Amino acid sequence: MNGFLHHCFVLLSLSTIFTSFARAFDYVDALQKSLLYFEAQRSGRLPYNQRVTWRDHSGLTDGLEQGVDLVGGYYDAGDHVKFGLPMAFTVTMLSWSVIEYGEEISYVGEMEHAFEAIKWGTDYFIKAHTSPNVLWAEVGDGDTDHYCWQRPEDMTTSRRAFKIDENNPGSDLAGETAAAMAAASIVFRKNNPHYSHLLLHHAQQLFEFGEKYRGKYDKSVGVVKNYYASVSGYEDELLWAALWLYKATDKEEYLEYVINKANSFGGIGWAITEFSWDVKFAGLQIIASKLLQEEKHRKHSHILEQYRSKAEHYICSCLNKNNGSTNVERTPAGLLYVRQWNNMQYVSTATFLLTFYSDYLKKSNQKISCHEGIVDHEELFNFAKSQVDYILGSNPRNMSYLVGFGPNYPKRVHHRGASIVSYRENKGFIGCTQGYDYWYSKNGPNPNVLIGAIVGGPDNQDDFDDDRANYVQTEACTYNTAPLVGIFAKLNFLNNPPLIASF
């Protein structure tokens, strides 16, 4: 046996030994299913190539009362309100997944579906941004929507639309939508340059609008307060938008904004232990840290180092290596636990940020110094992978919290469309409360499987009650799944690298 073959044989033998200890998951299956989920959440007129066939057209008169076309976009969860802020964050995270892990997504032939998932959101944002200083923030309202349990195709609830403008500002919503469109403009730059340019134009206008007319969107759009209140304020979104615009344009003015407002807007002041549709600081700090690598940013190193310090506080807190109470809690089996309601959203966003930072540390040959010791890229990555594997079934219940993945997953997801017989099978109208009477209280599994959804997940003791009424644990949201699209692709790539890499 020659030296090269012997080397390969030894590597194969070692990999077989290690694989036998670790639980192997089909990350390609997880990736494919996660992208399928976004098709189940579509509002509007469904395209000819719609793969989730239990769904049909819905919300076809959205915006009509206000004389504007707001057909399209995504339902955020198990109901039928179109909330602008979580929708925009979902699109930002999908775009960031493609920007960082596009090669790995392409490797398994899923790039087209990733493009479609992003474009379904950005097409809607273009419609919703009807003039430079007007952005439609929401269609429908949570109170009337939650009174009914219907399929989206049967909706009888109010579809009133709400907007932000010069007199009713919403810098957080304008900022996140600008971030989403700027990130998406990077995604489409090569394969659809005209569309990319259009997205960037909207992103720049929205950022200017949000910056010039400052205010929290939940003050202008009061109906959102009980559902997606902007607790963190709008400063994080304005910094976040400026940083994404810098990435998309390379224009110094956007970076100057992130540097000059770092202190007054809390960018280098807030040490945060969550990253979510509401709180962008950790994501902002982690992207800003990476700028330190480039020589041209040397003049800003003093501020960028402070961003990095806060980024690493977030990472150390996830790894349980900060000083005491500033660590993120964990369940007995090791799942990050931020709060009771829909905890998985914080797990998936943390997983993305930790993986992204692990890549950065590896490329720049750096380590992190936490209060409890030094952390290298490998430790960071292994912890992120442990969170993904927990979601996919490596947990005390052997349950996959990614619906449709593996043999054991939640069967009673809190989701109107999935829990009622498909409109394609039965076009008979189901009234507002009729769904509650007949479908909501049914003990059996949902008639339609909401493939690719990541539900709220277990409690702080790793316990989970698969009950439709238990919306804290069984409702799924678009922003739970979006951050994991790229991570599933990366994990598959590491498990199954191209053969050419062996030479």
Side-chain angles (χ1 to χ4, degrees), residues 459-473:
D459 65 15
N460 61 356
Q461 296 301 309
D462 300 294
D463 289 328
F464 180 78
D465 181 15
D466 185 12
D467 181 343
R468 206 169 291 115
N470 178 21
Y471 47 82
V472 168
Q473 291 189 319

Side-chain angles (χ1 to χ4, degrees), residues 90-133:
T90 295
V91 171
T92 306
M93 293 311 296
L94 281 171
S95 299
W96 196 3
S97 282
V98 170
I99 291 164
E100 295 304 324
Y101 303 111
E103 185 187 340
E104 292 89 337
I105 294 169
S106 292
Y107 179 54
V108 290
E110 285 296 313
M111 188 57 100
E112 205 51 50
H113 292 135
F115 284 157
E116 285 170 9
I118 293 165
K119 194 169 184 292
W120 195 266
T122 51
D123 282 353
Y124 174 75
F125 298 146
I126 290 168
K127 287 179 168 188
H129 185 214
T130 47
S131 63
N133 297 340

Side-chain angles (χ1 to χ4, degrees), residues 317-318 320 327-331 334-338 460:
S317 72
C318 289
N320 240 318
N327 286 322
V328 179
E329 276 182 53
R330 291 190 196 173
T331 68
L335 183 73
L336 290 168
Y337 191 82
V338 175
N460 61 356

Side-chain angles (χ1 to χ4, degrees), residues 38-95:
F38 293 97
E39 297 191 22
Q41 294 303 109
R42 285 171 169 171
S43 181
R45 186 168 292 281
L46 302 185
Y48 72 94
N49 60 350
Q50 169 80 10
R51 295 177 297 161
V52 178
T53 54
W54 52 266
R55 282 294 324 283
D56 211 330
H57 311 312
S58 63
L60 298 182
T61 60
D62 284 0
L64 192 64
E65 283 177 52
Q66 283 75 27
V68 56
D69 175 9
L70 296 175
V71 176
Y74 286 113
Y75 304 122
D76 71 301
D79 51 21
H80 303 135
V81 186
K82 294 193 300 207
F83 292 105
L85 188 57
M87 196 193 305
F89 181 66
T90 295
V91 171
T92 306
M93 293 311 296
L94 281 171
S95 299

Side-chain angles (χ1 to χ4, degrees), residues 5-18:
L5 286 176
H6 178 258
H7 175 70
C8 287
F9 177 75
V10 170
L11 283 177
L12 276 170
S13 305
L14 284 172
S15 79
T16 307
I17 292 165
F18 286 129

